C-alpha cells in the first residue's frame, strides 16, 4: 500500500486544508500519516479513520522567555529539525511527503532531505509565503526575512510537484523563484459545511443559550430562542422580531485587523436609522483575543451584542449556516492566498463581506456572492445597507445565496481534489524520482 505523510508544522486541528488532504487520500485508498502539533481537535474524518495515523510533535520550549529573539528563533528551528527527524525515524517509510508552507523553516528542508534519503516524492502545498508573514513584524529588510525568502525559493524548486491556492500565486511562484510543476488547487468546502435546516438551527441556539444568554428569550421558554420558536404543531419558525446574526472567524493576529470590524460595529450601534439588533459571533483563538475582548467589554453597546466563543468543529458549520452575513478580515501578507473561512461560509450558503486584496476576486465576486471593503466606514455602510428592513426584505440576500449555490457549491473539496490532485498520487513515483 502506498503511504503518504502529511506534514503540518503547526496545530493539526487548526489546519483544515491539510486535514482535508489527509481525509481524501485515505478515502482513495492511501495509508496516511499526518504529523503536527496537538491543540485543537481534528475533524472526525481524521480521528475515526483507521487508515490515518496521527503523529504528534513535542512542543518547543519557550526559549523566547530566556534568550534574545534571534537566539530563540535559532533554538526553535533546531528543536523542530530534531523532533521532526526523530518522528520520521519511527514512521512507516513514506512514498510521498506532502508538506504545508508556511511555516517553511525548517519543514521544507527536512522533508526534502527525507525524500532524498528514501527516494520519495516531495510535494509542497503553498498556502502563503513564510517570508511575507515574517516581514509583518520584522520588516522586509530584516536578515531573517531575506533568509526565509531564499530558503523558500531554494527548497521550493526541489519539489517534484507543488500545489497552490490561487492562479496569482502560481504566476508569482514562477516569476519569483522559477518554481514550476505547480497545480492550482482551490480550497473548496468540505461536506460538513452546508446550509443548516431550521430545526437544526433551533436545537443549536437552544444549546448555545445555556452558555450564552443572548440566544435565550427573556422568558427562558423551552420552546423558543431569540431567533426561533416551536409552534403548537411541532414545526419550527423564525421569529419576525428576531435580531440579525453576523458571524466572523479570526485568528486574532496582526494580519487580521479586527479594529476594522469593531469600528464598523460601533458605527452600526450609533446610527439613527431603524435597524435590527445585531448579534455578532466572532470565533477563533489567538494572541490578541484578550486585548480586543477588553475593548468590547468597555464599550457601551445598545443594539449590538458581541460574543467570542470557541466552537467545536462540528458546531462551526452549523453557526455559519445559521447566520445572515459573514465577515472576513483576512488581508493576506502576500496578497496571493485566499481565506479558507470564506470558502467555509460559501459552503454553508452564507454571503460574505470581505476585506479586498489582490487575489480576492478569484473567490469573492463583489455584488454577486459577497461585498468587499477596505475601510471600517465602507464595512459599516455595507452592514447598514444589508440589514436595512431586516428580516422583511430578503430579495438581495436570496440573490446572493442563489449565486453561491449555482457557482460555488456544485464542486466540493473531494470532487475538486480528485479532479486536480489525484493524478499526482496515481503516477509512477519511481519514474518521477528518476526524472527529477
Amino acid at each position: 500500500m502506498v503511504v503518504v505523510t502529511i506534514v503540518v508544522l503547526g496545530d493539526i486541528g487548526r489546519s483544515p486544508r491539510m486535514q482535508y488532504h489527509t481525509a481524501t487520500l485515505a478515502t482513495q485508498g492511501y495509508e496516511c500519516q499526518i504529523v503536527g502539533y496537538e491543540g485543537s481537535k481534528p475533524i472526525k474524518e481524521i480521528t475515526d479513520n483507521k487508515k490515518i495515523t496521527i503523529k504528534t510533535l513535542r512542543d518547543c520550549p519557550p526559549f523566547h522567555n530566556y534568550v534574545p529573539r534571534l537566539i530563540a528563533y535559532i533554538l526553535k528551528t533546531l528543536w523542530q529539525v530534531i523532533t521532526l527527524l526523530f518522528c520520521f525515524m519511527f514512521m512507516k517509510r513514506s512514498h510521498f511527503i506532502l508538506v504545508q508552507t508556511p511555516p517553511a523553516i525548517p519543514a521544507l528542508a527536512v522533508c526534502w532531505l527525507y525524500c532524498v534519503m528514501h527516494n520519495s516524492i516531495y510535494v509542497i502545498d503553498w498556502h502563503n509565503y513564510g517570508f511575507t508573514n515574517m516581514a509583518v513584524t520584522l520588516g522586509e529588510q530584516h536578515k531573517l526575512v531575506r533568509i526565509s525568502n531564499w530558503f523558500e525559493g531554494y527548497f521550493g524548486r526541489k519539489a517534484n510537484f507543488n500545489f497552490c491556492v490561487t492562479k496569482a500565486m502560481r504566476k508569482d511562484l514562477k516569476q519569483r523563484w522559477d518554481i514550476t510543476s505547480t497545480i492550482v488547487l482551490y480550497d473548496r468546502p468540505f461536506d460538513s459545511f452546508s446550509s443548516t435546516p431550521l430545526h437544526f438551527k433551533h436545537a443549536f441556539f437552544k444549546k448555545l443559550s445555556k452558555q450564552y444568554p443572548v440566544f435565550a428569550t427573556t422568558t427562558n421558554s423551552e420552546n423558543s430562542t431569540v431567533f426561533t420558536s416551536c409552534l403548537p404543531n411541532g414545526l419550527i419558525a423564525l421569529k419576525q422580531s428576531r435580531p440579525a446574526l453576523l458571524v466572523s472567524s479570526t485568528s486574532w493576529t496582526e494580519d487580521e485587523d479586527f479594529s476594522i470590524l469593531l469600528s464598523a460595529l460601533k458605527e452600526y450601534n450609533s446610527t439613527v436609522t431603524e435597524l435590527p439588533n445585531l448579534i455578532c459571533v466572532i470565533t477563533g483563538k489567538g494572541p490578541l483575543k484578550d486585548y480586543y475582548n477588553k475593548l468590547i467589554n468597555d464599550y457601551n453597546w445598545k443594539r449590538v451584542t458581541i460574543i467570542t466563543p470557541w466552537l467545536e468543529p462540528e458546531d462551526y458549520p452549523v453557526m455559519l449556516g445559521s447566520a445572515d452575513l459573514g465577515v472576513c478580515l483576512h488581508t493576506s501578507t502576500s496578497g496571493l492566498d485566499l481565506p479558507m473561512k470564506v470558502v467555509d461560509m460559501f459552503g454553508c450558503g452564507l454571503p460574505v463581506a470581505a476585506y479586498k486584496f489582490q487575489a480576492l476576486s478569484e473567490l469573492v465576486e463583489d455584488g454577486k456572492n459577497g461585498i468587499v471593503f477596505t475601510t471600517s466606514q465602507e464595512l459599516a455602510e455595507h452592514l447598514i445597507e444589508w440589514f436595512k428592513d431586516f428580516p422583511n426584505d430578503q430579495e438581495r440576500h436570496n440573490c446572493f445565496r442563489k449565486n453561491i449555490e449555482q457557482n460555488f457549491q456544485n464542486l466540493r473539496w473531494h470532487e475538486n481534489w480528485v479532479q486536480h490532485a489525484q493524478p499526482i498520487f496515481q503516477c509512477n513515483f519511481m519514474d518521477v524520482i528518476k526524472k527529477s
Side-chain angles (χ1 to χ4, degrees), residues 147-282:
I147 291 171
S148 178
N149 189 337
W150 171 85
F151 183 94
E152 289 178 82
Y154 181 80
F155 287 102
R157 288 190 296 272
K158 299 286 188 182
N160 299 107
F161 297 101
N162 295 273
F163 295 124
C164 66
V165 293
T166 64
K167 293 178 181 177
M169 181 173 283
R170 179 177 63 185
K171 181 178 179 181
D172 191 77
L173 285 168
K174 170 62 177 175
Q175 293 178 342
R176 184 183 299 274
W177 293 313
D178 195 29
I179 293 175
T180 56
S181 300
T182 306
I183 296 169
V184 178
L185 182 66
Y186 282 121
D187 285 319
R188 285 292 183 264
F190 211 58
D191 290 341
S192 55
F193 289 89
S194 59
S195 299
T196 304
L198 194 51
H199 63 285
F200 281 179
K201 292 182 184 181
H202 181 67
F204 180 60
F205 291 138
K206 283 180 64 177
K207 183 177 76 170
L208 284 181
S209 67
K210 296 176 182 179
Q211 185 175 359
Y212 302 98
V214 67
F215 293 105
T217 60
T218 55
T219 59
N220 290 321
S221 170
E222 287 292 324
N223 294 323
S224 66
T225 71
V226 71
F227 297 103
T228 58
S229 59
C230 183
L231 303 179
N233 60 5
L235 297 177
I236 305 299
L238 288 170
K239 291 182 175 180
Q240 181 65 23
S241 60
R242 68 186 182 276
L245 180 58
L246 187 73
V247 64
S248 183
S249 175
T250 178
S251 56
W252 300 104
T253 54
E254 293 177 346
D255 66 339
E256 292 186 345
D257 188 358
F258 178 73
S259 65
I260 293 177
L261 177 57
L262 190 60
S263 297
L265 291 174
K266 289 179 180 179
E267 181 71 19
Y268 184 97
N269 184 72
S270 61
T271 185
V272 296
T273 307
E274 189 67 28
L275 290 169
N277 289 337
L278 186 63
I279 297 177
C280 182
V281 177
I282 304 166

Side-chain angles (χ1 to χ4, degrees), residues 86-97:
F86 189 79
C87 182
F88 282 165
M89 288 173 58
F90 294 94
M91 294 192 316
K92 288 187 177 180
R93 179 186 175 275
S94 300
H95 302 95
F96 290 84
I97 294 286

Side-chain angles (χ1 to χ4, degrees), residues 83 124 169 343 387 393 418:
T83 54
I124 300 175
M169 181 173 283
V343 175
F387 292 117
D393 185 5
V418 169

Side-chain angles (χ1 to χ4, degrees), residues 49 114 128 194 266 279 281 292 338 346 376 394 411 425:
N49 196 315
Y114 179 94
N128 198 357
S194 59
K266 289 179 180 179
I279 297 177
V281 177
Y292 280 112
L338 291 173
F346 284 169
S376 61
Q394 295 283 297
L411 188 62
F425 297 95

Side-chain angles (χ1 to χ4, degrees), residues 249-409:
S249 175
T250 178
S251 56
W252 300 104
T253 54
E254 293 177 346
D255 66 339
E256 292 186 345
D257 188 358
F258 178 73
S259 65
I260 293 177
L261 177 57
L262 190 60
S263 297
L265 291 174
K266 289 179 180 179
E267 181 71 19
Y268 184 97
N269 184 72
S270 61
T271 185
V272 296
T273 307
E274 189 67 28
L275 290 169
N277 289 337
L278 186 63
I279 297 177
C280 182
V281 177
I282 304 166
T283 71
K285 295 179 180 178
L288 297 178
K289 184 174 181 177
D290 290 341
Y291 168 77
Y292 280 112
N293 266 332
K294 186 177 186 307
L295 295 181
I296 292 168
N297 294 331
D298 289 345
Y299 191 76
N300 182 26
W301 300 102
K302 296 178 181 178
R303 59 166 48 137
V304 177
T305 302
I306 303 175
I307 59 172
T308 58
W310 170 253
L311 297 176
E312 293 299 324
E314 60 271 17
D315 287 338
Y316 180 56
V318 182
M319 175 62 78
L320 295 184
S322 303
D324 299 298
L325 182 67
V327 173
C328 175
L329 302 170
H330 181 81
T331 57
S332 178
T333 58
S334 67
L336 302 173
D337 65 318
L338 291 173
M340 175 71 84
K341 56 178 69 72
V342 172
V343 175
D344 295 339
M345 291 173 183
F346 284 169
C348 296
L350 179 64
V352 62
Y355 190 93
K356 185 178 181 180
F357 60 90
Q358 180 182 342
L360 185 67
S361 60
E362 293 189 38
L363 178 62
V364 179
E365 297 180 82
D366 190 23
K368 293 185 177 181
N369 57 18
I371 45 184
V372 301
F373 62 89
T374 55
T375 67
S376 61
Q377 183 61 40
E378 288 180 1
L379 178 56
E381 292 171 359
H382 286 318
L383 295 180
I384 293 169
E385 179 65 24
W386 187 262
F387 292 117
K388 183 177 63 177
D389 299 326
F390 179 90
N392 297 317
D393 185 5
Q394 295 283 297
E395 183 177 351
R396 186 184 183 209
H397 299 198
N398 293 334
C399 183
F400 275 57
R401 293 179 188 275
K402 184 177 180 180
N403 289 335
I404 292 170
E405 182 178 355
Q406 290 179 344
N407 301 321
F408 194 86
Q409 291 188 314

Side-chain angles (χ1 to χ4, degrees), residues 1-14:
M1 180 177 290
V2 176
V3 179
V4 181
T5 295
I6 299 90
V7 179
V8 179
L9 212 58
D11 184 343
I12 294 174
R14 295 178 67 184

